[in-house]
Amino acid sequence: FLLVTMAQCEYPLIPGQAGLSVSAYLYGYSSLLEDDKYIFIKKYIYIYFSVRSCKNKLYPDDLPRTSVVIVFHNEAWSTLLRTVRSVIDRSPKSLLEEIVLVDDASERDFLKRPLEQYVRRMEVPVRVVRMEQRSGLIRARLKGASLSTGQVITFLDAHCECTVGWLEPLLARIKLDRKTVVCPIIDVISDDTFEYMAGSDMTYGGFNWKLNFRWYPVPQREMDRRKGDRTLPVRTPTMAGGLFSIDRDYFQEIGTYDAGMDIWGGENLEISFRIWQCGGTLEIVTCSHVGHVFRKATPYTFPGGTGQIINKNNRRLAEVWMDEFKNFFYIISPGVTKVDYGDITSRSSLRQKLQCKPFSWYLENVYPDSQIPRHYYSLGEIRNVETNQCLDNMARKENEKVGIFNCHGMGGNQVFSYTANKEIRTDDLCLDVSKLNGPVMMLKCHHLKGNQLWEYDTMVRSVCTSVCCVCRS
Ligand SMILES: [Mn+2]
């Protein structure tokens, strides 16, 4: 902890600038000092540096070299070149084997010959590889990986900016243990102004019942494991998918990607589950920062419709890796069971061959604060048997009231789970009552019981306030 006054605070507090990676939390504080006739108001600013002494970390000289594989489809010139340029400028030459740009059948002319001619002049070998037809992220990455030669493969999206010192901390973790798969902290590049904003080192990857990737706060147990040192990597249950480094041989050993998945979606959870369940480790390396342009809408067209493809991919991931916990996905996404997911025998036999652990092990050991409860009493609807009405989350969001609607028996918004911790959950929200006589709200599950503890007898009632959730009369 450092205490500095505003006057002392001349150096920039922008993360990354001057090599400083800081999180500054500003607390205004004023104290009155009397000096004869004058009262000086001195305004102190307490600045809590999260003591991210990343700058002083030393890394071995003999780190493995990496190829950087970047898939693009109709990417803008400026964002693509910002990515390539920053990789070259901010990676030690001795660690950068090459850059492989995989064009997933772009239509824009400047991404054809002009791009090839432009990158030919660069100081590092940059290859442009073309997919013959639109193949999607997964197959395009597999092609790029197979044509690259570095000991490590680093996948980046085509709209990134690597920061100074991004690469060494990633490679150092892989050198230490080749079964460690590492992601940088993903900083945010605005898609309006393209300004660079620091991402948080206090969130990690999770997923909800619908198998959407989500960021959640790093839990206390993970802070404790690192003894509060925020320069140490965070073990993350899942990765966002766009940006990570992996040892080439290990990537092969654990079965690269599921080539039966189409285009995009679900592949990041699939590789995350596979890494953990099959003996690897997945980390966010907090000393490595890469910016990423988060776009409001996907520029990709999905042949056959976005929903169908993501549902198919998610079914493959649920069927191969999630055991009985796939029911959470199926029951909250009615209709998804009708989607054909193709043949999964090769992925199932991969799981057998690698002797991967069950999904319950993953929930217990890797993701105990998962949105999918490891232990639960029931999963289904909460019905008033006399009126035939059901609790319904009405597709509302966090901090809104839970609703009641005619029971439809179709799962979806009427699915709740009464967990072993006596919470009532719907997806990643918990029923919560803070006032006598309600209302019953849907809040983030906090795992601390209290307002989220429900007792079941013939009614379901909140312990804290005795509010009945569903009453018979
Ligand atoms: Mn992206």
Side-chain angles (χ1 to χ4, degrees):
F1 291 81
L2 293 175
L3 175 63
V4 290
T5 65
M6 200 55 165
Q8 289 172 295
C9 179
E10 283 159 2
Y11 50 87
L13 291 172
I14 298 159
Q17 208 165 323
L20 266 175
S21 183
V22 297
S23 301
Y25 297 87
L26 302 180
Y27 300 94
Y29 175 80
S30 54
S31 67
L32 302 176
L33 292 174
E34 264 183 87
D35 182 15
D36 292 341
K37 297 162 203 154
Y38 301 101
I39 293 175
F40 295 103
I41 296 174
K42 236 183 175 180
K43 194 164 192 184
Y44 283 92
I45 296 190
Y46 290 80
I47 296 167
Y48 163 57
F49 291 86
S50 61
V51 198
R52 301 254 299 271
S53 48
C54 289
K55 195 180 173 250
N56 302 322
K57 293 223 169 203
L58 292 174
Y59 299 102
D61 290 330
D62 54 341
L63 292 173
R65 288 163 67 81
T66 189
S67 296
V68 175
V69 174
I70 299 167
V71 172
F72 65 93
H73 172 72
N74 284 343
E75 190 68 38
W77 178 266
S78 58
T79 49
L80 179 61
L81 268 297
R82 183 179 182 175
T83 311
V84 172
R85 202 60 254 173
S86 70
V87 169
I88 294 173
D89 290 346
R90 288 158 186 177
S91 310
K93 293 286 173 292
S94 60
L95 300 180
L96 187 57
E97 184 80 34
E98 69 199 325
I99 297 174
V100 180
L101 298 176
V102 187
D103 173 16
D104 188 10
S106 299
E107 290 126 15
R108 296 174 170 184
D109 285 334
F110 60 79
L111 293 170
K112 293 175 181 162
R113 261 183 68 81
L115 178 67
E116 280 169 35
Q117 286 175 333
Y118 189 86
V119 299
R120 207 171 288 155
R121 298 198 302 265
M122 293 189 162
E123 314 87 288
V124 168
V126 182
R127 300 174 59 185
V128 183
V129 178
R130 313 281 182 184
M131 302 302 284
E132 276 166 29
Q133 55 185 39
R134 189 69 207 289
S135 310
L137 180 80
I138 298 160
R139 285 169 210 142
R141 278 188 165 181
L142 287 173
K143 174 132 179 189
S146 70
L147 293 173
S148 68
T149 56
Q151 182 53 47
V152 170
I153 304 168
T154 298
F155 293 103
L156 292 182
D157 273 7
H159 32 267
C160 289
E161 179 179 333
C162 302
T163 61
V164 173
W166 74 288
L167 187 57
E168 298 90 325
L170 297 176
L171 299 178
R173 296 302 294 178
I174 293 172
K175 180 181 162 60
L176 211 60
D177 175 1
R178 56 185 286 278
K179 293 186 173 181
T180 302
V181 180
V182 286
C183 312
I185 286 192
I186 306 174
D187 294 330
V188 179
I189 301 175
S190 158
D191 70 343
D192 281 331
T193 62
F194 292 94
E195 72 177 303
Y196 198 102
M197 295 168 279
S200 172
D201 68 338
M202 297 295 281
T203 59
Y204 75 175
F207 58 93
N208 61 16
W209 293 5
K210 298 188 187 84
L211 301 185
N212 303 122
F213 172 87
R214 288 282 181 271
W215 298 104
Y216 294 106
V218 175
Q220 193 57 42
R221 69 181 155 76
E222 181 61 9
M223 301 300 287
D224 294 344
R225 188 187 65 81
R226 294 146 75 219
K227 301 193 173 64
D229 183 352
R230 286 161 65 176
T231 68
L232 295 181
V234 174
R235 288 185 186 164
T236 181
T238 67
M239 67 158 92
L243 293 59
F244 68 96
S245 297
I246 187 168
D247 178 88
R248 164 180 307 280
D249 301 326
Y250 184 59
F251 188 51
Q252 286 298 328
E253 274 169 47
I254 60 157
T256 62
Y257 275 118
D258 177 357
M261 287 188 172
D262 294 330
I263 312 289
W264 174 88
E267 87 291 343
N268 56 329
L269 296 191
E270 196 272 342
I271 197 171
S272 303
F273 295 167
R274 185 151 43 85
I275 288 163
W276 281 116
Q277 286 175 248
C278 308
T281 305
L282 180 58
E283 293 179 342
I284 294 169
V285 178
T286 53
C287 283
S288 171
H289 282 254
V290 176
H292 171 261
V293 182
F294 286 88
R295 291 181 285 208
K296 291 182 187 78
T298 171
Y300 304 131
T301 51
F302 285 71
T306 313
Q308 286 299 91
I309 285 178
I310 294 180
N311 284 339
K312 174 190 172 182
N313 292 353
N314 282 342
R315 281 209 73 184
R316 293 182 69 85
L317 123 90
E319 290 293 331
V320 177
W321 297 104
M322 292 180 70
D323 305 326
E324 68 273 25
F325 294 93
K326 69 186 176 191
N327 290 332
F328 282 87
F329 172 53
Y330 287 153
I331 201 164
I332 203 164
S333 317
V336 76
T337 47
K338 294 191 196 83
V339 175
D340 178 29
Y341 58 87
D343 182 5
I344 55 164
T345 43
S346 71
R347 300 309 282 181
S348 298
S349 53
L350 172 77
R351 180 174 166 174
Q352 287 242 304
K353 192 186 87 187
L354 296 174
Q355 300 182 342
C356 307
K357 298 189 182 83
F359 200 71
S360 59
W361 175 91
Y362 169 84
L363 291 180
E364 197 92 56
N365 296 280
V366 179
Y367 198 13
D369 52 321
S370 163
Q371 316 309 321
I372 289 182
R374 165 75 183 85
H375 301 285
Y376 58 96
Y377 295 113
S378 58
L379 175 64
E381 61 187 22
I382 301 178
R383 177 192 295 247
N384 181 322
V385 292
E386 282 175 16
T387 64
N388 211 31
Q389 293 209 306
C390 279
L391 277 200
D392 192 312
N393 67 36
M394 314 296 273
R396 289 174 189 154
K397 304 216 161 55
E398 193 185 341
N399 295 322
E400 296 190 58
K401 277 191 269 191
V402 70
I404 291 181
F405 202 78
N406 292 338
C407 299
H408 54 51
M410 300 286 288
N413 294 343
Q414 295 188 354
V415 178
F416 293 81
S417 177
Y418 187 47
T419 72
N421 295 331
K422 299 191 172 179
E423 307 152 325
I424 302 174
R425 287 175 166 252
T426 174
D427 203 346
D428 53 2
L429 300 177
C430 275
L431 298 194
D432 185 298
V433 187
S434 55
K435 288 196 210 87
L436 201 64
N437 299 323
V440 181
M441 306 292 287
M442 299 187 292
L443 297 187
K444 279 236 167 65
C445 301
H446 55 45
H447 316 286
L448 299 172
K449 302 187 188 287
N451 294 343
Q452 296 183 357
L453 180 66
W454 296 84
E455 220 39 86
Y456 177 80
D457 39 44
T458 50
M459 333 172 159
V460 182
R461 90 170 61 220
S462 153
V463 171
C464 240
T465 55
S466 295
V467 167
C468 292
C469 185
V470 177
C471 296
R472 279 168 164 264
S473 57

